[in-house]
Amino acid sequence: MSQEIPGSYQLTDTHTHLYYHAQTDELANQINLCLDKNIDRLFLPNVDAASIPLVLETVKQFPDNCFPMLGLHPCNVKENYKEELAIIEKAIAEHKIYAVGEIGLDLYWDKATLEIQKDAFRIQCGWAKELRLPIDIHCREAFDELFELLDELKDERLFGIFHCFTGTLAQAQRAIALGFKLGIGGVVTFKKAGLDLVVKEIDLQHLVLETDAPYLAPVPFRGKENKSSYLHYVAEKVADLHELSIAELAQITTANSKQVFGI
């Protein structure tokens, strides 16, 4: 994998939980590490009502680099999900956000909550449509159920990103046909994941880059805490797969992110 010295290009991390370091010195340190790698646009999805202040505080501290998304993560859809949604909806009404997310379906941890996960997803897609905002989708072991929901909800106002996409080529093509970009993160660097073979077949106009920090660190940091500054490892891998320079890849994927988020 080629290592390029940062130049005049701009990389965008379309999905990072960097705000977990809010109220610590580590936050500024991680932002500076990003800027050293030309990663100067970071989109922050909360996961529940309690994480909203962390997102908003991070954005307030770094308004030129951090942009908020708000939603209820499917793993946080519990019996009290309507109360959580009410808090999140109020925050969306009071603050400028750039997507509703992360939202979606997750059947890895708890299949018993599928129906209320679906309900929460429908409600939040309704918000996004009303506000003309993208959605940022989490999907884990639930592609069939999610595609069924998206087919039900699809209209010209439903668009966004399949965050941390790890599906097959057929699933990638279906997501693209529904009007979504694919968020490509550290998994593309994993030797046996097979995502590299999928990404190689997808036109770059359909891809954006992400880290999902602190999760899913790319090689050579697999298994360790991920950082948004590691996005350049993802960029290097995708650039190699498409036989482009990182500067060319950065231009395309950042333009794609601007198309989605409107900024």
Side-chain angles (χ1 to χ4, degrees):
M1 185 179 296
S2 61
Q3 294 276 345
E4 287 191 25
I5 298 172
S8 59
Y9 58 84
Q10 178 184 57
L11 284 165
T12 301
D13 188 347
T14 60
H15 191 111
T16 172
H17 300 275
L18 183 80
Y19 58 86
Y20 288 159
H21 294 292
Q23 303 173 334
T24 74
D25 293 338
E26 181 61 18
L27 178 62
N29 179 52
Q30 293 218 10
I31 291 287
N32 287 331
L33 289 171
C34 287
L35 297 179
D36 286 344
K37 297 289 187 181
N38 294 330
I39 305 159
D40 64 359
R41 290 160 43 83
L42 304 106
F43 288 82
L44 315 181
N46 77 313
V47 293
D48 57 9
S51 57
I52 294 172
L54 300 178
V55 170
L56 296 178
E57 184 172 328
T58 301
V59 170
K60 183 178 181 181
Q61 190 172 349
F62 297 98
D64 295 331
N65 307 110
C66 296
F67 307 93
M69 303 185 266
L70 295 180
L72 183 60
H73 191 294
C75 290
N76 295 91
V77 176
K78 310 294 185 184
E79 289 183 0
N80 70 332
Y81 76 99
K82 289 192 175 178
E83 288 85 352
E84 286 276 301
L85 287 175
I87 295 170
I88 295 168
E89 185 176 23
K90 183 174 184 292
I92 290 173
E94 295 173 348
H95 300 276
K96 171 70 173 175
I97 66 167
Y98 295 90
V100 175
E102 69 187 274
I103 67 175
L105 299 180
D106 190 309
L107 298 182
Y108 179 78
W109 296 109
D110 190 355
K111 294 180 174 63
T113 61
L114 176 60
E115 291 309 313
I116 59 174
Q117 285 187 44
K118 286 182 177 179
D119 190 45
F121 186 77
R122 289 187 181 100
I123 291 168
Q124 294 177 97
C125 284
W127 299 347
K129 288 181 180 184
E130 184 177 341
L131 295 168
R132 300 285 176 166
L133 288 173
I135 58 174
D136 192 62
I137 297 178
H138 171 107
C139 179
R140 190 173 188 188
E141 297 193 4
F143 275 109
D144 290 344
E145 293 82 358
L146 184 64
F147 281 133
E148 184 178 341
L149 259 181
L150 291 174
D151 285 338
E152 168 197 324
L153 297 169
K154 181 61 184 170
D155 63 25
E156 74 282 355
R157 297 174 297 165
L158 191 66
F159 67 103
I161 296 171
F162 262 72
H163 140 65
C164 192
F165 182 82
T166 55
T168 64
L169 181 59
Q171 290 165 336
Q173 291 168 335
R174 187 167 181 186
I176 290 165
L178 283 164
F180 290 87
K181 306 289 188 193
L182 308 180
I184 305 302
V187 176
V188 75
T189 69
F190 298 176
K191 286 186 177 179
K192 297 182 180 180
L195 183 61
D196 55 341
L197 301 178
V198 174
V199 168
K200 192 171 185 176
E201 296 299 318
I202 301 297
D203 192 293
L204 288 174
Q205 68 176 309
H206 304 302
L207 304 183
V208 293
L209 304 181
E210 64 163 80
T211 59
D212 198 22
Y215 314 108
L216 296 172
V219 174
F221 302 101
R222 186 175 181 179
K224 299 179 181 179
E225 178 185 344
N226 198 4
K227 299 177 181 179
S228 280
S229 56
Y230 294 165
L231 186 71
H232 72 99
Y233 290 97
V234 177
E236 286 169 359
K237 180 65 175 181
V238 177
D240 284 351
L241 289 170
H242 282 267
E243 300 181 351
L244 295 173
S245 69
I246 291 182
E248 291 172 305
L249 179 78
Q251 190 279 323
I252 295 167
T253 55
T254 286
N256 292 344
S257 75
K258 291 178 179 179
Q259 180 185 356
V260 173
F261 294 116
I263 186 173

